Amino acid sequence: MNLIICNDYESASKVVANMISDSIKIKPNITLGLATGSTPIGVYNELISKYNRGLISFSNVTTYNLDEYIGLPIDHKESYHSFMDRNLFNHVDIKRENIHLPSCDLNDLNNNCIEYNKMLNSTSIDLQLLGIGANGHIGFNEPGTSFEQETFIVELTNKTREDNKRFFNSIEEVPKLAITMGIKNILDSKKIILMATGENKASAVKRLFSQEVSLDFPASCLNLHNDTTIVIDKEAAKFILKNEL
Ligand code: GLP
């Protein structure tokens, strides 16, 4: 794994946005895997700014998102469909038909997983952007998930629901289930960038670099991938900088 330590959230966002925009310039019809959560918002703002300055176009870009909550209407402000529209898609020239997120239509959840997985297996993600949960989850692959797992319905842990409560009025409103790309789908990406910032990610970052590869810590699967770059800020690098690995 390559490691880039930046001064702060802003510079980490710029570094990741530059990596993505350079990839779009090299391959305008690139397939991107995209993430939600608060971490990538600065990256998306940078990409929108580059688009507004005429530096990049999304007109031939295809995207696949990692995950979506089950049980939220698609137009709920915290659905990942709404999140992506608000934070990226509504502001750039991406074609609607090139945007893919898991469908959480309650009538056909199992089939939705199968269909999303089929789409993923029929394409190849050139560049996958990831955040990381404090418990090491990537996408919504919670601790214990097999590294062979493909797209599935996941029961969110209490820790993840607590962490994501800040976006909702109360813990009761946080969905208990989601559809997520599996770890196998993520590892199938040609290149992966994981971004982590802030002190609350420092322990997860420390564990990521501990050489441990274990199902208890899903992000540790990235040790098995041959082109992963971790971009963190100084706060998330706290233990690395103190040499406390
Ligand atoms: C959610 C998403 C993950 C994301 C994580 C961390 O659980 N499913 O993809 O990495 O949140 O979010 P944040 O960036 O807000 O810390």
Side-chain angles (χ1 to χ4, degrees):
M1 288 189 294
N2 307 310
L3 175 64
I4 302 175
I5 302 178
C6 304
N7 272 333
D8 50 23
Y9 176 75
E10 209 189 344
S11 50
S13 301
K14 284 192 172 140
V15 164
V16 174
N18 286 341
M19 291 167 81
I20 296 174
S21 63
D22 286 348
S23 302
I24 295 175
K25 283 181 203 156
I26 292 167
K27 186 176 178 187
N29 63 345
I30 192 169
T31 300
L32 296 175
L34 296 179
T36 52
S38 43
T39 307
I41 291 178
V43 175
Y44 295 150
N45 285 339
E46 283 294 323
L47 289 174
I48 293 167
S49 154
K50 285 173 189 290
Y51 165 73
N52 286 333
R53 284 179 283 147
L55 301 176
I56 48 168
S57 165
F58 288 78
S59 59
N60 291 309
V61 172
T62 298
T63 63
Y64 289 86
N65 261 79
L66 284 165
D67 44 18
E68 176 58 292
Y69 287 119
I70 292 174
L72 290 186
I74 219 166
D75 57 356
H76 186 287
K77 79 174 189 10
E78 294 307 333
S79 81
Y80 286 162
H81 281 77
S82 300
F83 174 99
M84 290 307 301
D85 282 349
R86 186 168 66 243
N87 289 298
L88 182 64
F89 297 149
N90 285 348
H91 310 284
V92 296
D93 61 346
I94 191 162
K95 296 188 181 89
R96 281 279 142 187
E97 64 266 30
N98 288 348
I99 296 172
H100 306 88
L101 285 96
S103 159
C104 284
D105 178 354
L106 293 173
N107 293 322
D108 216 352
L109 285 174
N110 284 323
N111 202 42
N112 295 345
C113 282
I114 293 169
E115 288 305 318
Y116 201 64
N117 204 55
K118 264 195 208 155
M119 280 197 283
L120 292 172
N121 283 336
S122 66
T123 185
S124 175
I125 292 182
D126 294 297
L127 176 55
Q128 174 68 56
L129 178 60
L130 294 178
I132 185 170
N135 64 357
H137 75 245
I138 49 174
F140 268 133
N141 290 276
E142 298 282 23
T145 309
S146 159
F147 291 175
E148 291 302 314
Q149 180 70 55
E150 299 195 302
T151 312
F152 72 118
I153 296 172
V154 61
E155 190 173 335
L156 302 178
T157 60
N158 289 337
K159 170 70 181 147
T160 297
R161 293 183 68 238
E162 276 294 330
D163 284 350
N164 289 357
K165 180 177 82 177
R166 65 191 193 280
F167 300 113
F168 296 84
N169 293 323
S170 67
I171 186 78
E172 287 73 34
E173 282 186 22
V174 185
K176 295 191 166 124
L177 299 172
I179 290 184
T180 183
M181 269 189 210
I183 290 182
K184 177 167 187 307
N185 305 112
I186 293 172
L187 291 179
D188 281 344
S189 316
K190 291 183 195 154
K191 184 178 179 63
I192 297 175
I193 302 172
L194 182 146
M195 178 174 169
T197 56
E199 208 174 340
N200 65 329
K201 299 291 169 69
S203 300
V205 166
K206 175 181 174 179
R207 204 165 165 191
L208 186 56
F209 281 92
S210 70
Q211 312 281 315
E212 165 197 10
V213 177
S214 120
L215 301 193
D216 288 342
F217 191 69
S220 68
C221 71
L222 298 175
N223 286 299
L224 307 174
H225 190 266
N226 63 9
D227 190 359
T228 291
T229 301
I230 315 289
V231 181
I232 58 179
D233 67 355
K234 279 189 175 156
E235 290 182 354
K238 189 170 90 173
F239 298 113
I240 294 179
L241 293 172
K242 283 197 216 156
N243 235 343
E244 283 179 23
L245 285 182

